[in-house]
Amino acid sequence: MEETEKPARKLPNQEIDYFKIGKILLSRWYWIVASIIICMLISYTYLWYTPKIYSTTATLKIEEKKSEFSDLVGIISNNDRGPSKIQSETFVLQSRTVILSAIKDLDYRVSFYIAGRARTSDIYPQKPLNIQLLKFDSLNFFHDLINFQPVSKSAFKLSYNWGGRNIQKTFQYDQPVSIGNMAFSIKYPGELSNKTTFQFKFNTPEDFVGRVKAGLRTNELIKNSNIITLQETDSDPQFVADILNAIIREYLNYDRNQKTQSATQMIHFIDAQLESLADDVKGSEKSIEEFKQNNKMMDVSSSSELQLGRIKEFGTQKTLLKLQLIAIDQLKEQITKEKDNINLNLNLEGVIDPLLAELIGSLNNLLVERSTLLKTYNSGSQTINDINGQILQIKNSALNNINSSSARINKNISYLDNQLAAANEKLSALPAAERDLISLKRNFEINDKVYSFLSEKRLDAQISRSAILPGATIIEEAQVNLNPVSPDEHTIHRTALIVGLTIGLGLIILIRILNPYIYDKETVESLTTVPIIGVVRKFPAALDENSTQILAISRPKSLFAESVRSVRTNISFIASEKKSKIICITSEVAGEGKSFVTVNLSSTLSLIDKKVILIAADLRRSRLHKTFNVPNDKGLSNYLANQCDIDDIILHSSQPNLDIIVSGPVPPNPSELLHSERTKTLIAELKKRYDIIMIDTAPIGLVSDAIPLIRMSDINIFVIRSGKSKFYAATVPQRIANEYHLDNTVIILNAFAEDLLHSRYYTTKFTSESHGTHYYYYSDYSGYEGSDYYIDKKVFKWWDISRWFK
């Protein structure tokens, strides 16, 4: 009949215990609190030493219309303010020219500071001292800080660094003070304490440009709108508001000046033409008067007057068209050279193509946009190349349009020349004197009419220039904002809290990850299918080196004793059919408490009327003889070496029903002795005399001495010590059992003391398939220290919150 194969043991099911996870994290709550406190202290220190940054904003509306009269006179063209125009305006706002002008509006010459423990602070706009500059070269002056301290009502002391040396000198108020290439005087500031100190330094507008530009930001309030928001940030809230308002004012002035250039340019052009025509008009008028006086003529006939009117009209039109050609040639030169603010100085109605004004406006916008982009991109970049292509395309279109206009004007001039030739031919039939008078009057009236036309245009341009308004309106001026935007205290404190919490929790998790030791039964259950027969509690008091006190007997009402009795109970169910049981106790390495467990377990077994013999089978370094305070000159090694009989090595302890066999002198061949037939003979004889044979063997992970004893034992107990044995130790009994086909191997978790930090966050769920067909009930007695059943009284420390979860 074939032997039935035993089912393979499976690891028990383990489920995550979320409540236990919370207990684990809170077990070291003081780590979390300490890390939070440290991070909060760091945040407060950071805020203490970091200068506060303030910010304020202003709002501008870019106007579409530049002049109240531009719709009437048609002199200054209105260009649409698209996105590129808004971009060009923001560039102007951030330009060095506008910023320098704004700085000059402020009282920038002298800055005052107060030295603190952490940093030196600017006290703008306060001026505690009235300093008068007597000699100042903006290219060569003393830039460093100067310390001021009053000495008396008439004197003060200045200290500063010069050439690597600290200079200290006393000066009189209202007397010149010379430092390097500059000189100044300080007026008496009134009563000041001798402990009062100030620091000051001299500046030029250029010293503030970088500071202002670094904090200046411009944005569209709404995309593709004509409203711009300006934001300035700095460490001084008053300076932020003052400089931003100054920038807005200077921008409006700059914008107004730029927009008057077109009208001014036109006025200059007309003035030049009027200057040349004025002499001609005066000369023609004088020639007419002299001719009339010399020829005694009053005026020309009515028929001659008719021809004169036609000639005058044609001549005037021709002269104006020539002036238009001059203006077009100037425009062509501006476009070719890509000058800024290109403008047509004279635009006769119906002569110039309206498309040309749009092309000029687009070209101006592209030129400004290119100037803006060149601040960011290299001249050879793709972005600049793209805009250069657009400029070239519009230039070509504008030049083609100008050439067409020039051709059209020249054609009109040719037509007028023909008309003038016909009129002059009719005049040739008149008498010579009258013909000469008409010729004189013709030149005079043509020049006079052109002069009057240009004078009207000049007046229109002057009116338009005076009516020009800035291209923007201030919607909201900058106000002093005393609430810092950086550092954000709430965000920094919140971040410090989160970082502290993360560090505390991370430290707990890191310690758990780096921990190589077994601390609780759930960890053992997750690593091996070998059943745990019990958990022996760690004795709370200190033990002597040799454990001479058998605690299970001396402290019978302790949790430790109860945990040992629990193991004793479970042992009674193993190999219950055997009249005499051989129990072998081992561990992976020394120091895991196998001898301690052996002594206490043997003692408890002897209390239930079981005859127990305890064999010290660790022939290399046994300590059992010290525990029982008996000599070790004759023992197991002597018997195995055939030097004595069995009765010679059996010793009686003070505990009834408990005998011992000590290890004896250390032999040179302990493994060979334990593998001898004498070992089997000894065990066979002891089985006849005792109910329990308890064998304390050498660590199986270090030497192989225990193998023969394990193979002949009825129960093999593998001791794992909490906090001492590593994870690998839990796999050793499984390997031994598989290698030697043992089904009587069990585990005892020794020296268990609840430590939530290292406890496993899984809960074991035993099923019918767990551990084959059987498992053992046991408890770790956690939470029972204060029970009236035991004498153990756990003293909770103030930081121990584990009692909250009992």
Side-chain angles (χ1 to χ4, degrees):
M1 187 174 179
E2 295 184 359
E3 183 179 353
T4 304
E5 185 177 352
K6 295 182 180 180
R9 293 176 176 176
K10 296 182 180 180
L11 289 173
N13 296 325
Q14 290 192 323
E15 298 178 356
I16 295 178
D17 188 340
Y18 295 100
F19 181 69
K20 198 169 184 180
I21 291 176
K23 292 169 63 177
I24 291 171
L25 297 177
L26 290 176
S27 65
R28 296 298 187 272
W29 64 270
Y30 43 89
W31 290 4
I32 299 174
V33 171
S35 62
I36 290 175
I37 291 174
I38 292 173
C39 288
M40 292 300 289
L41 289 175
I42 292 174
S43 70
Y44 278 105
T45 304
Y46 171 79
L47 291 172
W48 176 262
Y49 283 96
T50 303
K52 291 181 172 58
I53 303 298
Y54 299 87
S55 175
T56 188
T57 59
T59 308
L60 278 178
K61 180 183 179 184
I62 306 298
E63 301 292 349
E64 299 293 336
K65 192 173 183 180
K66 305 176 186 63
S67 172
E68 298 294 337
F69 298 92
S70 58
D71 290 335
L72 299 175
V73 298
I75 295 176
I76 302 174
S77 61
N78 293 328
N79 299 323
D80 293 335
R81 290 190 181 267
S84 62
K85 191 64 177 177
I86 295 296
Q87 186 177 7
S88 67
E89 296 304 320
T90 59
F91 168 72
V92 172
L93 282 164
Q94 294 177 308
S95 66
R96 182 180 180 88
T97 302
V98 172
I99 292 176
L100 273 174
S101 299
I103 294 171
K104 291 176 182 179
D105 291 343
L106 305 181
D107 187 2
Y108 66 89
R109 284 293 186 187
V110 184
S111 297
F112 291 88
Y113 304 87
I114 292 181
R117 288 180 296 176
R119 59 183 179 273
T120 300
S121 302
D122 188 348
I123 59 174
Y124 175 91
Q126 299 179 41
K127 302 291 182 181
L129 300 176
N130 186 357
I131 300 177
Q132 302 294 322
L133 287 173
L134 304 178
K135 180 183 178 183
F136 186 83
D137 183 357
S138 60
L139 299 178
N140 184 17
F141 67 97
F142 186 75
H143 289 80
D144 294 339
L145 286 172
I146 302 173
N147 295 296
F148 168 88
Q149 185 175 5
V151 176
S152 64
K153 292 183 178 181
S154 60
F156 59 90
K157 183 172 69 176
L158 295 181
S159 60
Y160 53 90
N161 292 320
W162 182 270
R165 296 182 300 114
N166 183 260
I167 306 298
Q168 294 187 6
K169 292 183 178 179
T170 301
F171 301 92
Q172 301 295 316
Y173 289 111
D174 297 318
Q175 296 298 317
V177 177
S178 296
I179 299 179
N181 195 36
M182 63 178 296
F184 60 92
S185 65
I186 301 178
K187 293 186 175 297
Y188 178 59
E191 288 293 335
L192 289 175
S193 170
N194 291 340
K195 295 182 179 180
T196 302
T197 59
F198 295 109
Q199 293 180 328
F200 64 91
K201 66 186 292 288
F202 297 97
N203 311 294
T204 61
E206 289 76 10
D207 296 334
F208 291 90
V209 172
R211 173 181 172 183
V212 174
K213 290 193 72 172
L216 183 61
R217 300 290 183 272
T218 57
N219 291 291
E220 288 184 76
L221 184 63
I222 302 174
K223 189 173 180 61
N224 296 328
S225 68
N226 61 340
I227 298 179
I228 299 177
T229 59
L230 295 89
Q231 182 185 44
E232 176 70 29
T233 55
D234 192 79
S235 58
D236 191 303
Q238 185 65 52
F239 178 80
V240 167
D242 290 349
I243 191 63
L244 192 54
N245 287 327
I247 288 173
I248 293 173
R249 290 193 300 271
E250 288 303 319
Y251 164 74
L252 295 180
N253 293 334
Y254 176 87
D255 189 70
R256 184 188 297 109
N257 294 335
Q258 289 295 108
K259 289 173 177 56
T260 58
Q261 285 185 4
S262 297
T264 302
Q265 185 176 340
M266 180 177 291
I267 291 171
H268 291 330
F269 173 80
I270 294 175
D271 284 343
Q273 304 305 318
L274 289 174
E275 186 177 354
S276 64
L277 285 173
D279 294 336
D280 294 339
V281 171
K282 291 179 181 179
S284 298
E285 185 178 11
K286 185 177 180 181
S287 298
I288 291 172
E289 293 298 327
E290 290 177 353
F291 184 85
K292 286 181 178 182
Q293 290 176 4
N294 294 333
N295 292 279
K296 298 179 180 182
M297 292 181 64
M298 295 300 294
D299 213 336
V300 297
S301 62
S302 59
S303 60
S304 299
E305 188 70 34
L306 177 62
Q307 294 300 322
L308 179 61
R310 296 185 65 190
I311 293 172
K312 180 176 67 175
E313 182 67 27
F314 293 146
T316 301
Q317 292 182 20
K318 180 180 176 182
T319 302
L320 291 176
L321 288 175
K322 287 183 177 180
L323 291 176
Q324 185 69 74
L325 279 177
I326 295 174
I328 286 178
D329 290 339
Q330 291 179 352
L331 176 64
K332 188 174 182 179
E333 182 183 3
Q334 292 178 15
I335 293 175
T336 303
K337 295 183 178 180
E338 296 184 3
K339 293 184 177 180
D340 294 335
N341 198 20
I342 298 172
N343 189 64
L344 181 60
N345 293 325
L346 184 64
N347 185 1
L348 298 177
E349 187 176 356
V351 176
I352 301 300
D353 188 351
L355 178 61
L356 182 59
E358 297 182 10
L359 292 172
I360 293 173
S362 299
L363 182 59
N364 280 327
N365 288 337
L366 287 173
L367 291 174
V368 173
E369 184 176 357
R370 184 176 65 179
S371 299
T372 304
L373 293 175
L374 283 173
K375 301 294 182 180
T376 306
Y377 299 96
N378 295 325
S379 58
S381 64
Q382 185 61 41
T383 303
I384 301 300
N385 290 336
D386 290 343
I387 199 169
N388 283 337
Q390 298 178 41
I391 291 173
L392 181 60
Q393 184 178 1
I394 292 180
K395 278 177 59 178
N396 292 334
S397 299
L399 292 174
N400 290 334
N401 192 295
I402 289 173
N403 292 333
S404 299
S405 298
S406 297
R408 186 165 56 253
I409 292 171
N410 286 324
K411 185 177 180 181
N412 291 338
I413 291 174
S414 297
Y415 171 78
L416 292 173
D417 285 339
N418 293 331
Q419 296 298 318
L420 285 171
N424 288 329
E425 186 177 352
K426 292 180 179 181
L427 286 177
S428 62
L430 297 174
E434 187 174 357
R435 188 170 61 246
D436 292 339
L437 179 60
I438 290 173
S439 178
L440 291 173
K441 292 188 69 175
R442 177 186 62 188
N443 294 335
F444 168 75
E445 292 184 2
I446 289 174
N447 290 334
D448 184 62
K449 189 171 183 180
V450 171
Y451 189 90
S452 299
F453 175 81
L454 292 177
S455 297
E456 290 178 3
K457 287 293 184 181
R458 182 177 184 276
L459 179 61
D460 288 342
Q462 288 176 334
I463 294 172
S464 178
R465 183 175 65 176
S466 63
I468 287 177
L469 299 175
T473 302
I474 302 175
I475 297 178
E476 184 178 357
E477 288 190 340
Q479 303 295 327
V480 177
N481 181 13
L482 298 178
N483 297 318
V485 295
S486 175
D488 187 343
E489 294 187 11
H490 296 293
T491 300
I492 289 175
H493 289 324
R494 183 168 58 251
T495 302
L497 180 63
I498 294 173
V499 170
L501 183 63
T502 303
I503 291 175
L505 295 175
L507 185 60
I508 293 173
I509 295 172
L510 181 64
I511 294 298
R512 286 180 57 84
I513 292 174
L514 297 179
N515 166 54
Y517 301 107
I518 296 171
Y519 278 89
D520 59 359
K521 57 186 178 62
E522 284 79 13
T523 303
V524 178
E525 292 165 346
S526 68
L527 296 172
T528 181
T529 60
V530 175
I532 299 176
I533 198 173
V535 175
V536 176
R537 294 284 299 196
K538 182 178 182 180
F539 194 74
L543 301 175
D544 61 78
E545 181 182 359
N546 298 315
S547 301
T548 54
Q549 276 187 311
I550 303 176
L551 300 172
I553 296 176
S554 62
R555 303 288 294 273
K557 289 187 177 183
S558 64
L559 274 175
F560 169 80
E562 182 59 33
S563 64
V564 175
R565 287 193 289 268
S566 175
V567 175
R568 179 188 67 186
T569 301
N570 284 332
I571 286 177
S572 65
F573 291 101
I574 304 176
S576 57
E577 73 283 358
K578 298 290 183 69
K579 183 178 180 181
S580 178
K581 296 180 183 180
I582 304 172
I583 302 175
C584 182
I585 300 181
T586 187
S587 63
E588 182 197 14
V589 294
E592 294 182 314
K594 59 180 179 54
S595 298
F596 179 76
V597 171
T598 302
V599 170
N600 283 278
L601 187 56
S602 300
S603 301
T604 57
L605 286 169
S606 68
L607 294 176
I608 56 173
D609 294 331
K610 297 286 187 181
K611 293 192 65 178
V612 180
I613 185 166
L614 174 56
I615 302 176
D618 184 356
L619 301 182
R620 299 175 187 266
R621 46 170 299 181
S622 176
R623 288 178 174 272
L624 282 178
H625 60 284
K626 295 182 179 180
T627 300
F628 289 95
N629 196 21
V630 294
N632 194 36
D633 54 349
K634 184 183 291 186
L636 180 61
S637 60
N638 301 100
Y639 173 80
L640 296 179
N642 212 10
Q643 295 175 357
C644 61
D645 294 327
I646 187 171
D647 292 325
D648 297 332
I649 61 173
I650 295 176
L651 302 175
H652 302 288
S653 69
S654 58
Q655 177 70 26
N657 297 326
L658 177 61
D659 295 337
I660 59 173
I661 297 177
V662 296
S663 62
V666 178
N669 55 344
S671 181
E672 287 75 9
L673 291 178
L674 291 172
H675 279 79
S676 66
E677 288 296 325
R678 292 278 288 180
T679 303
K680 296 179 181 179
T681 302
L682 174 65
I683 297 300
E685 180 61 30
L686 292 176
K687 288 179 68 176
K688 298 176 183 178
R689 303 184 185 187
Y690 296 93
D691 298 316
I692 302 292
I693 302 171
M694 190 75 68
I695 305 174
D696 178 25
T697 67
I700 198 171
L702 301 178
V703 292
S704 61
D705 299 1
I707 297 300
L709 300 174
I710 288 175
R711 299 187 67 175
M712 68 177 63
S713 297
D714 299 314
I715 303 173
N716 287 301
I717 298 177
F718 192 88
V719 176
I720 293 175
R721 183 169 181 173
S722 176
K724 171 74 174 179
S725 302
K726 296 186 177 181
F727 292 130
Y728 175 76
T731 65
V732 174
Q734 178 103 33
R735 292 191 300 105
I736 298 297
N738 292 337
E739 184 176 352
Y740 296 105
H741 306 288
L742 305 175
D743 60 357
N744 58 357
T745 305
V746 293
I747 293 174
I748 289 179
L749 180 63
N750 181 37
F752 171 76
E754 186 178 21
D755 186 352
L756 289 173
L757 176 63
H758 297 291
S759 64
R760 191 170 173 81
Y761 53 84
Y762 286 93
T763 299
T764 304
K765 300 293 183 181
F766 291 101
T767 64
S768 59
E769 296 180 350
S770 300
H771 299 297
T773 58
H774 63 276
Y775 61 89
Y776 303 94
Y777 170 78
Y778 56 90
S779 172
D780 58 18
Y781 298 94
S782 297
Y784 294 102
E785 291 88 343
S787 173
D788 292 336
Y789 287 94
Y790 310 109
I791 61 174
D792 303 80
K793 299 295 182 184
K794 183 173 181 179
V795 178
F796 289 100
K797 298 179 180 179
W798 63 268
W799 64 80
D800 187 0
I801 63 171
S802 61
R803 62 185 183 275
W804 299 350
F805 303 101
K806 302 304 183 185

